[in-house]
């Protein structure tokens, strides 16, 4: 499993699909509730968009919601 990405406090989620080099476990910001819908992760000049699957996965003894890759878009300047 790839290393965890920690940018600030927030909820950990599992990302499935997307670029193979992306971290599998990702920390989303506190203001974004994991159950509220899609999340976008900035990654090498693009936004990688993930949608909730409704599933959870046990990682290091902690249940985390699973998000599946749906599409990517360029980051506007």
């Amino acid at each position: 499993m790839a290393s965890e990405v920690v940018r600030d406090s927030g909820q950990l989620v599992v990302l499935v699909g997307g670029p193979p080099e992306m971290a599998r476990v990702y920390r989303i910001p506190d203001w974004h509730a994991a159950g509220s819908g899609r999340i976008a992760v900035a990654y090498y000049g693009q936004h990688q968009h993930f949608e909730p699957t409704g599933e959870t996965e046990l990682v290091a003894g902690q249940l985390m919601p699973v998000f599946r890759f749906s599409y990517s878009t360029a980051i506007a300047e």
Side-chain angles (χ1 to χ4, degrees):
M1 178 163 55
S3 63
E4 173 186 332
V5 174
V6 178
R7 295 222 165 87
D8 58 358
S9 64
Q11 182 177 3
L12 292 173
V13 298
V14 174
L15 302 179
V16 177
E21 309 83 29
M22 280 189 73
R24 180 169 149 70
V25 175
Y26 190 79
R27 188 177 303 272
I28 60 174
D30 283 328
W31 54 264
H32 188 293
S36 68
R38 290 178 277 184
I39 60 174
V41 177
Y43 184 76
Y44 284 100
Q46 294 203 329
H47 279 127
Q48 308 299 322
H49 299 266
F50 294 83
E51 296 185 3
T53 64
E55 301 170 359
T56 57
E57 188 172 315
L58 186 62
V59 178
Q62 184 178 356
L63 274 178
M64 300 178 194
V66 176
F67 284 73
R68 184 169 310 284
F69 175 78
S70 54
Y71 63 97
S72 63
T73 56
I75 295 176
E77 293 185 30

